[in-house]
Amino acid sequence: MVTCQEPKGPATDSAEGPLTFGPLIAGVTVPDPAEWVYVLRASALIDDPIGATCYRNALNAGHMGPDAHPETILGRCALAGPEHMETALHTARLAAAEWGGSPPARRAALAEAFRARLREHADAVTGLLVEEGHPVRLARMEVANLLTFYGPETTDWCLRHMESEHTVDGRTVVLRRVPDGVVCVQPPQNTPALSVGAAFQSVLAGNALVVRLSRHAPIAAMYLVEQIAVPALAEAGAPPGVLSALCTEPAQALDAWLESPLVDDVLYFGDSIRGEQLEKACLAAGKKPILELGGNDMVVVWRDAPLDRAVDALMESYHGSGQICCAPNIALVHPDIADRLTDRLTECVRALRPGFPDDPEVVLAASPNTAGYDATLADARRAGARVLTGGRHLDVHGHESDDAVFAEPALIRIDGLARALKLRSVRYETFFPLLTLAVPVPADDDQLLSEMVSFVASGSYGLRNSLWTQSPDVIDRFLRDVRSCGQLRVNDSHLAGVPYLANHGGPGLSGDRFGELNYPMLRTSRLQGVSVAQEGPTAGGDAGPYVSARPRPRVEAVREYPPGWPPEDLPGGLPAPFTEAFHHDPYPTLHWLREHRPVSRVISPDGPGWLLTRYDDVRDAHVDPRVTCDSKRISAGHMWMRHWPSALRERLFTHLLDSDDPRHAELRAIMRPFFSPARQEQWRTRVQRLVDNRIDQIVERGSGDLMAAVAYPLGGNVLFAVLGATPPRMNHLRAMIWRTAEWNNDVPYVAALAHEVDAFVRSAVAEKRRAPGDDLISLLVRARDQDGLLSEDELHGQVMMMLVAGQDPSINSVGNSLHALLTHPAQLAELRDDPSLMATGLGELLRYESPLPFTSWRGTLAPVEFGDVTVPADESLFLCIGAANRDPARFPDADRLDLHRPTPGHLAFGHGAHYCLGAHIGRMTAEAAVSTVLRRLPGLRLDGTPGWRPSQFERGLSVLPVAWDAPKDGGAR
């Protein structure tokens, strides 16, 4: 790797590899760090969010090395310890004493030196911002804004305020600002580099800076410090201790700053809730808090506004997916033009699309944490606002996805300012792509102007506000009465950098009661900046096409297949088992095999084996002692796990599903008390409540994906309630688990996925050892620690098994049952009209589309006879439950869905000793979901093409798009 202080070319030169940064103390990199944090290129995380995240976690934990997937790594930054922070503060204190007394002209030269080097490195900084996830259009604007901020206009104006000399009555009077001393800077996670660049201006006042960088995106910021700020300081003759930059844990750094007598100021960028907490802590510790917090900026669009230009400015709300603190969040629109502006804006917002950050047409940034986005839209619907567009979670290609990293740009309209004040999106800052249009009740213009200006002026956030109008009187009124913010814009871009004006700053929740337009040199008097554009926005120029310094990384699966794979089609062009075409519709192939080759020698991606398709053969194989479930004794099991790290494979695959009697019976006996029918029945009320809560969130939409809206969260919530574990990011965990259960040679980052599963299991077990409860993991921990009934490997293996096998049968039972009904409308109508049919109907739905069409791999320990075929010893067996459940010898006319059919003996939950322990919960979950969906979503029908998720053992949907008749009463329960 390249250390930036080594003269080895630009930071984004692909030949040099990822960048490496150590702790920077007094302008010098500390050698021999002990621990690193790795940063992956944003395009890798966008392309494969699950695999790349797991790989990053494995890198940071030291389980994997950078040589596994080097093309994905942007750089690494050494983690600094408490001793590094203490040294940085001591050197800063010594440097501040010297630098604070230096001549103002010497410090003034620093601004131009910094700007000159920033201009020289602008392309490299832009490239690094893009690699960290900033859309290139936004990255260029951010660099341009920083160059503007360090332009001669702003610098000269600030310096004039630093010192003035007057002669009065024979005296020389000097008014000057003196530096506070040591300023510690905590930049935000979303724009650390640009915030560090802005904070650097405090050095011009004579302060020394100690910067704490986050683990999330430290690379561009460290590059800015090492390649631009440190050389500029040296050129100005500043002592080296003026600037230090460390990557540390945030709590560790803040605690050190509050406790240290060496620290004078804490300059904090972040959200308002944490900022207010920090402000109190700083004041209690005798430190000056300088807060640069979130905003909830407003734009007033008057009736004579040029609509096209106003719409362009409002579209800045979506730059960086709304994760910019000074992006507009709320538009107050004159009623006379509200409908026209709404239509134009809706069209523009709907045209926005996700994409990779190096695409010049893309303005959206990845925003995987969408809990606030979902809650805000739900709040808007409850309050009677119209959600004109938005609400989905999208992948980089614009497809709705359970593990998406983009939030669909959303636009809300609400009529009446009093109603608008009740909206969450108006009361609180938002950091996702959502704009709220608030339209006042029609009135005469004088009253409307008073209401709109008053609404803006009374906002609790005081960052930046805008106006669009051609009326001088309206402009004068707006400038006169809106004094509660750091900056005003009139007929101008809300985001563009403007000479003389700072990019940050304001009172209220965006700063504090002493907040102001924030020039870090001048943080004592109250200022306000105004920009009135005469000829439209002046930001930037025509930039040439963006060319990434390195191609987008893409990690491919290993794809090592056994001889004979892929197999040829069967007679009649039927797809062979386990091929991609087979997964889309396996039943024609299974029907043919059951009729012609019921015990068939086949090739799978995990090698050869024998496929059983008759009911009797599959059922008998479940109980035959010559058939093993131990994957370590089965050739296909060895092949399936061949890309797992060997230590994890040996440790985690020691569980109930992967063992034979007598150990299997012993493990099952440990868990059986938790899965008694009486205990499982206790979950019925909770399951029903979960189903109702999920449908409450979608019932008024009239369309949606039942997998994402109902089946996925239902299965996950039930599983984690049973386990007693703290739910993680459910979408991430579910997608990760799914990929570990796919064909492993088709899965990128498979080793990283395995380490992620292991990390979760370890954390869940440790949590229950600290705080046991009445849950499954606590039961297993007691069996291990108190009763000695389990080994540590078996304890971890049992938890891993539940993660992999505990939610998917429920998810697939819900999704498959709903799909079967939607593709058989007469059966759906009959069940809706006669809910008592669920008594037989649920078993028929599970039989017809089994959630697990294959068992996990089985193998023969001795020759076993199936009909007139003898399968030799040491062969892999593929037991097809899906084919057995459609065997006409057991279920006449088996390919027909008949909700009246009795189905005793169906194999959807297995058979014999390995019959699913949680079958009752699975049935109960499916029954509650199907019954409630049919009751509460009238007119339910397919509204698109369902998608099946590829998996070797399961048959489950990835998407089930439906529409229904949205009830006017909200869908009474």
Side-chain angles (χ1 to χ4, degrees):
M1 291 191 172
V2 178
T3 300
C4 270
Q5 292 183 324
E6 299 172 3
K8 292 194 177 183
T12 52
D13 185 349
S14 60
E16 302 296 346
L19 300 172
T20 290
F21 297 94
L24 185 77
I25 300 178
V28 177
T29 298
V30 177
D32 303 323
E35 188 176 357
W36 297 96
V37 59
Y38 285 82
V39 178
L40 297 193
R41 297 170 62 193
S43 52
L45 289 159
I46 291 171
D47 179 60
D48 188 349
I50 302 301
T53 298
C54 293
Y55 179 49
R56 181 185 62 195
N57 294 345
L59 283 169
N60 291 339
H63 296 315
M64 298 180 71
D67 54 338
H69 306 294
E71 69 278 14
T72 69
I73 299 174
L74 175 61
R76 65 178 184 174
C77 198
L79 283 178
E83 70 282 2
H84 296 122
M85 181 62 71
E86 185 67 18
T87 301
L89 294 177
H90 275 284
T91 58
R93 171 56 67 193
L94 294 174
E98 176 185 343
W99 180 242
S102 62
R106 184 175 165 196
R107 286 184 258 136
L110 176 60
E112 182 51 36
F114 180 85
R115 186 169 187 259
R117 292 194 65 85
L118 177 60
R119 188 186 300 111
E120 177 186 345
H121 291 262
D123 288 344
V125 174
T126 299
L128 289 174
L129 290 172
V130 171
E131 296 285 15
E132 286 185 337
H134 299 228
V136 62
R137 288 173 60 181
L138 177 61
R140 283 171 163 162
M141 176 183 284
E142 289 170 324
V143 174
N145 285 358
L146 195 55
L147 285 167
T148 299
F149 184 57
Y150 279 92
E153 303 90 348
T154 306
T155 299
D156 291 348
W157 184 86
C158 287
L159 289 172
R160 287 199 302 272
H161 285 71
M162 289 300 297
E163 183 173 315
S164 62
E165 182 176 312
H166 309 273
T167 302
V168 181
D169 297 332
R171 297 183 179 89
T172 298
V173 178
V174 178
L175 300 176
R176 67 179 185 181
R177 297 179 184 272
V178 294
D180 288 338
V182 175
V183 178
C184 292
V185 181
Q186 169 102 320
Q189 288 194 15
N190 58 335
T191 57
L194 281 305
S195 298
V196 169
F200 184 73
Q201 200 207 37
S202 61
V203 175
L204 274 64
N207 295 298
L209 286 188
V210 176
V211 179
R212 179 260 159 188
L213 293 174
S214 76
R215 298 164 60 104
H216 178 69
I219 302 302
M222 285 298 291
Y223 182 89
L224 184 78
V225 169
E226 280 200 4
Q227 293 294 303
I228 298 171
V230 168
L233 285 166
E235 184 179 327
V242 164
L243 181 59
S244 296
L246 309 172
C247 183
T248 68
E249 297 291 348
Q252 179 188 102
L254 288 172
D255 288 347
W257 297 346
L258 293 173
E259 294 172 4
S260 175
L262 304 172
V263 175
D264 298 294
D265 298 353
V266 176
L267 174 51
Y268 176 85
F269 298 78
D271 67 85
S272 59
I273 295 175
R274 292 185 181 89
E276 288 182 304
Q277 294 170 346
L278 177 65
E279 180 182 37
K280 295 176 182 178
C282 285
L283 294 174
K287 316 296 180 188
K288 179 198 285 186
I290 304 173
L291 305 180
E292 190 57 59
L293 307 180
N296 214 23
D297 289 3
M298 303 188 205
V299 180
V300 173
V301 185
W302 196 243
R303 61 180 173 82
D304 62 347
L307 287 191
D308 288 341
R309 291 174 58 198
V311 167
D312 288 343
L314 290 174
M315 289 299 292
E316 292 177 349
S317 172
Y318 301 97
H319 283 217
S321 287
Q323 297 175 75
I324 305 170
C325 61
C326 54
N329 290 345
I330 305 159
L332 307 182
V333 186
H334 193 289
D336 288 358
I337 62 167
D339 290 344
R340 283 185 291 148
L341 184 137
T342 298
D343 290 344
R344 292 192 194 184
L345 199 57
T346 301
E347 182 179 357
C348 291
V349 174
R350 286 177 176 165
L352 292 176
R353 59 177 179 83
F356 290 98
D358 58 1
D359 184 343
E361 300 301 317
V362 168
V363 301
L364 301 177
S367 51
N369 187 6
T370 54
Y373 170 84
D374 294 337
T376 300
L377 287 176
D379 170 80
R381 292 188 178 95
R382 285 193 298 270
R386 285 186 288 157
V387 178
L388 303 170
T389 187
R392 299 182 300 163
H393 302 172
L394 306 175
D395 64 17
V396 70
H397 307 294
H399 303 141
E400 193 165 4
S401 172
D402 190 44
D403 59 337
V405 293
F406 291 92
E408 182 180 28
L411 182 64
I412 294 172
R413 173 170 169 171
I414 190 161
D415 290 88
L417 298 187
R419 296 176 67 208
L421 284 172
K422 299 177 182 179
L423 290 183
R424 177 172 175 161
S425 61
V426 173
R427 299 197 312 273
Y428 304 115
E429 59 203 323
T430 59
F431 291 102
F432 32 81
L434 186 149
L435 175 66
T436 300
L437 303 181
V439 182
V441 175
D444 63 72
D445 277 358
D446 287 342
Q447 181 178 341
L448 284 173
L449 184 59
S450 295
E451 290 178 0
M452 295 167 80
V453 169
S454 175
F455 193 98
V456 175
S458 62
S460 56
Y461 295 83
L463 196 57
R464 185 178 297 187
N465 292 301
S466 292
L467 168 68
W468 285 88
T469 184
Q470 299 178 56
S471 168
D473 292 339
V474 174
I475 294 174
D476 289 346
R477 178 74 176 275
F478 183 77
L479 300 184
R480 184 193 74 189
D481 291 348
V482 180
R483 299 185 297 274
S484 56
C485 64
Q487 189 173 148
L488 301 176
R489 299 285 181 101
V490 177
N491 297 334
D492 197 358
S493 160
H494 200 88
L495 291 179
V498 177
Y500 294 105
L501 299 188
N503 288 324
H504 301 90
L509 294 177
S510 292
D512 54 48
R513 66 180 58 196
F514 303 108
E516 61 189 1
L517 187 63
N518 189 357
Y519 302 90
M521 273 197 275
L522 315 170
R523 195 62 167 88
T524 53
S525 58
R526 197 173 188 87
L527 301 171
Q528 184 179 73
V530 175
S531 171
V532 179
Q534 302 300 318
E535 299 181 0
T538 59
D542 292 332
Y546 182 79
V547 179
S548 295
R550 291 188 286 177
R552 294 177 189 154
R554 182 172 181 84
V555 173
E556 297 289 346
V558 179
R559 301 186 188 279
E560 297 173 353
Y561 296 110
W565 182 266
E568 295 181 358
D569 287 347
L570 299 179
L574 291 173
F578 308 118
T579 58
E580 182 178 353
F582 171 82
H583 284 295
H584 289 298
D585 184 7
Y587 295 109
T589 294
L590 295 174
H591 179 81
W592 188 91
L593 286 171
R594 195 173 50 240
E595 290 295 318
H596 298 91
R597 301 177 193 168
V599 183
S600 179
R601 179 79 167 171
V602 298
I603 292 290
S604 82
D606 289 333
W610 295 83
L611 176 61
L612 308 184
T613 53
R614 288 187 301 223
Y615 178 89
D616 288 342
D617 292 340
V618 172
R619 190 174 186 273
D620 291 346
H622 272 81
V623 297
D624 196 311
R626 296 170 294 177
V627 175
T628 180
C629 296
D630 186 347
S631 63
K632 293 180 283 296
R633 305 171 72 179
I634 304 167
S635 59
H638 280 290
M639 288 285 286
W640 182 79
M641 295 187 294
R642 63 192 178 279
H643 299 305
W644 274 58
S646 57
L648 298 186
R649 183 171 67 240
E650 292 299 320
R651 186 162 58 80
L652 292 178
F653 281 84
T654 53
H655 54 70
L656 193 68
L657 295 182
D658 212 53
S659 60
D660 299 322
D661 286 339
R663 190 55 181 157
H664 169 267
E666 294 166 351
L667 294 173
R668 192 177 181 93
I670 294 171
M671 299 176 69
R672 186 178 293 115
F674 198 83
F675 289 100
S676 67
R679 175 136 193 179
Q680 293 186 69
E681 187 62 27
Q682 295 173 4
W683 291 89
R684 185 175 294 276
T685 301
R686 181 177 297 190
V687 169
Q688 185 63 53
R689 184 167 61 247
L690 287 168
V691 176
D692 279 323
N693 288 341
R694 295 304 305 180
I695 294 181
D696 285 345
Q697 297 179 38
I698 66 166
V699 63
E700 295 181 1
R701 298 183 190 176
S703 65
D705 171 19
L706 287 182
M707 297 306 295
V710 178
Y712 294 162
L714 183 59
N717 277 290
V718 170
L719 170 66
F720 277 89
V722 170
L723 289 176
T726 302
R729 281 180 51 207
M730 203 74 78
N731 293 353
H732 172 89
L733 181 71
R734 180 166 52 251
M736 179 185 68
I737 293 298
W738 279 351
R739 291 175 62 170
T740 62
E742 288 179 16
W743 308 105
N744 278 339
N745 53 327
D746 280 346
V747 178
Y749 298 102
V750 64
L753 290 162
H755 283 296
E756 188 85 348
V757 173
D758 178 55
F760 179 84
V761 169
R762 287 176 178 271
S763 174
V765 170
E767 179 183 348
K768 288 305 167 184
R769 281 191 163 127
R770 289 192 301 270
D774 184 22
D775 52 71
L776 182 56
I777 297 181
S778 296
L779 179 149
L780 294 171
V781 168
R782 287 192 294 271
R784 161 62 181 160
D785 295 351
Q786 298 177 19
D787 304 326
L789 300 176
L790 290 170
S791 69
E792 190 70 14
D793 286 356
E794 287 173 327
L795 167 59
H796 286 216
Q798 292 289 87
V799 176
M800 193 277 289
M801 176 203 72
M802 289 298 299
L803 285 176
V804 175
Q807 61 176 326
D808 287 1
S810 293
I811 290 172
N812 296 342
S813 296
V814 172
N816 294 359
S817 297
L818 289 168
H819 176 262
L821 291 169
L822 287 162
T823 52
H824 295 79
Q827 299 281 296
L828 184 152
E830 190 174 4
L831 181 58
R832 176 180 279 132
D833 294 340
D834 182 8
S836 67
L837 264 182
M838 188 61 74
T840 57
L842 184 58
E844 171 68 353
L845 291 167
L846 294 171
R847 177 203 69 82
Y848 182 80
E849 194 70 84
S850 300
L852 298 171
F854 288 92
T855 66
S856 55
W857 298 145
R858 307 292 170 97
T860 56
L861 302 176
V864 184
E865 303 77 24
F866 298 103
D868 57 359
V869 177
T870 298
V871 177
D874 300 321
E875 292 280 348
S876 299
L877 282 181
F878 308 144
L879 277 57
C880 188
I881 291 174
N885 276 344
R886 291 204 185 190
D887 186 347
R890 180 65 179 81
F891 303 102
D893 198 8
D895 288 326
R896 181 173 62 87
L897 181 67
D898 179 5
L899 299 183
H900 296 274
R901 182 202 309 267
T903 55
H906 74 74
L907 304 178
F909 292 111
H911 176 65
H914 283 272
Y915 185 78
C916 178
L917 273 170
H920 189 77
I921 290 180
R923 284 193 298 267
M924 186 168 46
T925 302
E927 179 182 347
V930 172
S931 300
T932 308
V933 165
L934 295 187
R935 185 179 74 253
R936 297 192 59 195
L937 303 182
L940 189 69
R941 57 203 177 270
L942 284 174
D943 189 36
T945 303
W948 293 97
R949 181 168 51 84
S951 176
Q952 57 184 326
F953 301 127
E954 300 178 17
R955 181 153 173 82
L957 290 156
S958 58
V959 60
L960 183 56
V962 296
W964 60 88
D965 304 327
K968 296 181 180 179
D969 61 358
R973 295 185 180 187

